[in-house]
């Protein structure tokens, strides 16, 4: 059974109820029978109903009914006394239970009100935190109604679009992000959109920019809505294009240098033959023979021109992070063709010195060659493994394809098959050699096996060392 009432003031409440009951009983006893004083028991019963639980209220009501019957001075008989006692018990119990119910409901209402106040305060705090988060976010955030009108825009959105704070709400989104204005507020089947797109935007002053937009649609009582987060990617686009251009120039210099080297070798051979033939008196003074010599020397001088090579962006590269990026790039294409990929990299693999972009191009080229060789096989597999040895890291790239028929022509330019130019492996090895690396082919029992040889970073701390 639960506690009667607050344990801290229980003696006081018990004394008060007992005193009231005794006082009413004495008053009823001293009063004549013509004036029944039983109604006085209602006061302690009301107090008991507010403090005690129901069973105690019923007990006290019965006690008060007995006292009222004893001291009211009325004659007791079976038909009248039982009826009177039943009315006493019913009236006292009903008043007590009614008071108890009112008290319980008041307590429940007070608890509910406190909980409601706490929930309202928590909601206000959450809304304030969310508002602060949105307003301080470096990402532009806007909400748009079904008509394309902006309902809300944070400070970043105003700075992105070149407008003063508070100017966007009420204006249309179409002049700034036309693609976002064309997004349907809801799919034909009733589902909402939650996706990302890349599009072009326009600032207030007419300056265009590129944007990545993450948006979702949802429904409210006022109609469909669209919420979008917008990031300006113009700087990333410029950096990416600049890097691609520099890598293109770097690869072109390597290719031109290789072709120039081959031309110099040929011109050297032609010069030797020309010098031998010049001893023949019949050809020595022939104009066409002299022109051939002049052309050969001119071509040799052109081929001997040194191109200023751009230094590769050599840096210390953590191979585990590097291969995680490579895995992200390769996994979709390998899964689409049901190629099983295996990665075996020791945990203590040291960092290497390389140009990150060039190294990535090398592995992408090797993976593309392997994927082309094993396409359509039922048990197609592709693997990358690595080990470190004497300041070098050797990375094996293998597949279970048909292998290489003539390894002697692998690294020759323009020796490709019908579906390739033969430049990929040549440029890959040239790129690796630009930062003291190398690429070689090794015979394997099955398939093709290429080894990427890289120099470790002597200044990088080894794992397990401070």
């Amino acid at each position: 059974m639960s506690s009667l009432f607050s344990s801290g003031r229980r003696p006081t409440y018990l004394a008060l109820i007992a005193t009231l009951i005794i006082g009413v009983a004495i008053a009823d006893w001293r009063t004549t029978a013509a004036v029944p004083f039983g109604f006085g028991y209602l006061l302690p019963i009301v107090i008991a109903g507010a403090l005690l639980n129901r069973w105690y209220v019923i007990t006290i009501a019965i006690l008060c009914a007995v006292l009222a019957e004893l001291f009211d001075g009325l004659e007791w008989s079976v038909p009248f006394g039982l009826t009177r006692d039943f009315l006493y018990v019913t009236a006292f119990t009903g008043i007590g239970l009614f008071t108890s119910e009112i008290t319980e409901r008041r307590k429940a209402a007070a608890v509910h009100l406190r909980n409601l106040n706490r929930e309202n305060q928590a909601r206000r705090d959450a809304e304030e935190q969310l508002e602060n988060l949105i307003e301080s976010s470096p990402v532009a955030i806007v909400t748009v109604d079904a008509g394309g009108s902006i309902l809300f825009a944070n400070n970043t959105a105003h700075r992105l679009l070149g407008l003063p704070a508070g100017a966007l709400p009420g204006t249309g989104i179409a002049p700034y992000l036309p693609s976002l204005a064309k997004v349907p507020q809801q799919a034909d089947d009733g589902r909402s959109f939650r996706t990302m797109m890349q599009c072009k935007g326009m600032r207030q002053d007419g300056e265009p920019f590129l944007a990545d937009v993450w948006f979702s649609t949802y429904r409210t009582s006022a109609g469909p809505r669209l919420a979008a987060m917008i990031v300006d990617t113009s700087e990333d686009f410029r950096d990416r294009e600049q890097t691609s251009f520099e890598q293109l120039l770097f690869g072109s210099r390597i290719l031109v240098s290789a072709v120039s080297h081959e031309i110099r070798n040929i011109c050297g051979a032609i010069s030797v033959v020309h010098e031998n033939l010049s001893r023949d008196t019949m050809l020595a003074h022939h104009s066409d023979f002299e022109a051939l010599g002049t052309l050969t020397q001119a071509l040799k001088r052109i081929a001997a021109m040194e191109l200023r090579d751009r230094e590769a962006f050599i840096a210390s590269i953590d191979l585990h992070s590097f291969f995680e990026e490579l895995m992200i790039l390769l996994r979709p294409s390998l899964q689409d063709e049901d190629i099983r990929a295996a990665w075996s990299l020791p945990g203590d693999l040291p960092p290497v010195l390389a140009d990150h972009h060039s190294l990535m191009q090398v592995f992408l080229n090797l993976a593309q060659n392997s994927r082309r060789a094993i396409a359509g096989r039922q048990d197609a597999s592709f693997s990358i493994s690595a080990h470190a040895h004497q300041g070098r890291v050797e990375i094996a790239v293998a597949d279970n394809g048909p292998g290489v028929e003539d390894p002697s022509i692998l690294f020759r330019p323009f020796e490709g098959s019908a579906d390739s130019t033969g430049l990929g492996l040549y440029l890959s090895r040239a790129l690796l050699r630009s930062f003291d690396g190398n690429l070689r082919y090794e015979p394997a029992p099955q398939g093709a096996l290429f080894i990427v040889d890289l120099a470790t970073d002597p200044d990088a701390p080894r794992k397990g060392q401070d």
Side-chain angles (χ1 to χ4, degrees), residues 57-264:
V57 171
I58 294 173
T59 302
I60 293 175
I62 295 174
L63 175 62
C64 290
V66 171
L67 293 175
E69 181 63 35
L70 289 174
F71 297 111
D72 60 4
L74 298 176
E75 183 180 354
W76 191 89
S77 62
V78 173
F80 297 104
L82 290 177
T83 302
R84 187 170 59 249
D85 293 342
F86 176 76
L87 291 176
Y88 279 154
V89 172
T90 303
F92 292 161
T93 304
I95 291 296
L97 294 179
F98 178 73
T99 304
S100 177
E101 185 66 22
I102 290 178
T103 302
E104 292 297 327
R105 288 181 177 272
R106 179 179 175 278
K107 292 179 180 179
V111 171
H112 178 70
L113 181 61
R114 287 196 298 270
N115 292 336
L116 188 61
N117 289 334
R118 284 197 298 267
E119 291 176 0
N120 288 336
Q121 184 61 41
R123 186 179 298 108
R124 286 192 295 268
D125 292 342
E127 290 175 353
E128 183 179 354
Q129 293 176 7
L130 182 60
E131 183 178 356
N132 291 335
L133 176 64
I134 293 175
E135 289 297 337
S136 61
S137 172
V139 178
I141 301 175
V142 298
T143 57
V144 184
D145 63 13
S149 179
I150 299 175
L151 300 176
F152 170 81
N154 65 352
N155 292 330
T156 306
H158 288 87
R159 290 195 299 268
L160 174 66
L161 300 179
L163 290 168
L168 279 175
T171 62
I173 192 66
Y176 307 105
L177 293 163
S179 299
L180 193 61
K182 297 177 183 178
V183 174
Q185 295 289 333
Q186 196 170 25
D188 296 336
D189 55 3
R191 292 181 300 174
S192 299
F193 292 100
R194 292 179 178 85
T195 185
M196 176 264 184
M197 69 176 178
Q198 295 178 326
C199 62
K200 294 180 180 179
M202 189 72 67
R203 306 188 205 277
Q204 179 67 20
D205 58 2
E207 178 188 356
F209 65 94
L210 294 178
D212 286 349
V213 182
W214 291 264
F215 66 90
S216 62
T217 59
Y218 58 96
R219 298 194 63 83
T220 66
S221 58
R225 297 286 186 267
L226 181 146
M229 296 188 297
I230 309 162
V231 176
D232 185 354
T233 58
S234 302
E235 189 67 28
D236 294 338
F237 174 74
R238 287 189 289 268
D239 293 342
R240 185 170 60 250
E241 292 299 316
Q242 180 65 27
T243 301
S244 298
F245 178 68
E246 291 178 355
Q247 289 295 330
L248 176 62
L249 291 179
F250 182 52
S252 299
R253 288 188 179 96
I254 291 177
L255 178 60
V256 171
S257 297
V259 173
S260 299
H261 177 72
E262 298 296 331
I263 293 175
R264 285 198 301 271

Side-chain angles (χ1 to χ4, degrees), residues 116-412:
L116 188 61
N117 289 334
R118 284 197 298 267
E119 291 176 0
N120 288 336
Q121 184 61 41
R123 186 179 298 108
R124 286 192 295 268
D125 292 342
E127 290 175 353
E128 183 179 354
Q129 293 176 7
L130 182 60
E131 183 178 356
N132 291 335
L133 176 64
I134 293 175
E135 289 297 337
S136 61
S137 172
V139 178
I141 301 175
V142 298
T143 57
V144 184
D145 63 13
S149 179
I150 299 175
L151 300 176
F152 170 81
N154 65 352
N155 292 330
T156 306
H158 288 87
R159 290 195 299 268
L160 174 66
L161 300 179
L163 290 168
L168 279 175
T171 62
I173 192 66
Y176 307 105
L177 293 163
S179 299
L180 193 61
K182 297 177 183 178
V183 174
Q185 295 289 333
Q186 196 170 25
D188 296 336
D189 55 3
R191 292 181 300 174
S192 299
F193 292 100
R194 292 179 178 85
T195 185
M196 176 264 184
M197 69 176 178
Q198 295 178 326
C199 62
K200 294 180 180 179
M202 189 72 67
R203 306 188 205 277
Q204 179 67 20
D205 58 2
E207 178 188 356
F209 65 94
L210 294 178
D212 286 349
V213 182
W214 291 264
F215 66 90
S216 62
T217 59
Y218 58 96
R219 298 194 63 83
T220 66
S221 58
R225 297 286 186 267
L226 181 146
M229 296 188 297
I230 309 162
V231 176
D232 185 354
T233 58
S234 302
E235 189 67 28
D236 294 338
F237 174 74
R238 287 189 289 268
D239 293 342
R240 185 170 60 250
E241 292 299 316
Q242 180 65 27
T243 301
S244 298
F245 178 68
E246 291 178 355
Q247 289 295 330
L248 176 62
L249 291 179
F250 182 52
S252 299
R253 288 188 179 96
I254 291 177
L255 178 60
V256 171
S257 297
V259 173
S260 299
H261 177 72
E262 298 296 331
I263 293 175
R264 285 198 301 271
N265 292 339
I266 296 174
C267 289
I270 296 176
S271 297
V272 172
V273 175
H274 183 272
E275 184 177 353
N276 293 335
L277 292 177
S278 64
R279 298 189 182 96
D280 190 339
T281 56
M282 296 180 60
L283 297 174
H285 303 289
H286 196 282
S287 59
D288 291 338
F289 183 73
E290 292 178 355
L292 178 60
T294 302
L295 292 175
T296 301
Q297 293 299 322
L299 185 59
K300 189 175 181 180
R301 285 194 299 272
I302 293 175
M305 292 177 60
E306 294 293 337
L307 292 175
R308 179 177 296 177
D309 292 338
R310 177 189 66 84
E311 292 185 359
F313 295 107
I314 300 176
S316 181
I317 295 178
D318 179 20
L319 288 176
H320 289 91
S321 299
F322 174 82
F323 281 113
E324 286 176 358
E325 297 176 10
L326 180 64
M327 192 183 304
I328 293 173
L329 293 174
L330 294 180
R331 181 180 286 116
S333 60
L334 296 177
Q335 289 179 346
D336 290 342
E337 298 188 15
D338 295 326
I339 298 175
R340 181 173 55 86
W343 309 78
S344 178
L345 303 173
D348 58 349
L349 208 58
V352 297
L353 290 174
D355 179 4
H356 184 279
H357 184 82
S358 299
L359 190 61
M360 185 66 71
Q361 294 300 317
V362 170
F363 280 101
L364 288 176
N365 179 64
L366 294 176
Q368 175 66 21
N369 291 343
S370 295
R371 190 167 62 89
R372 187 165 50 238
I374 60 180
R377 292 179 62 95
Q378 296 296 326
D379 59 342
S381 65
F382 170 80
S383 66
I384 292 180
S385 59
H387 73 276
H389 178 67
Q390 295 182 352
R392 311 287 296 185
V393 174
E394 292 188 348
I395 305 167
V397 181
D399 61 63
N400 63 344
V404 180
E405 295 182 1
D406 187 5
S408 63
I409 65 171
L410 276 178
F411 299 101
R412 296 180 185 174

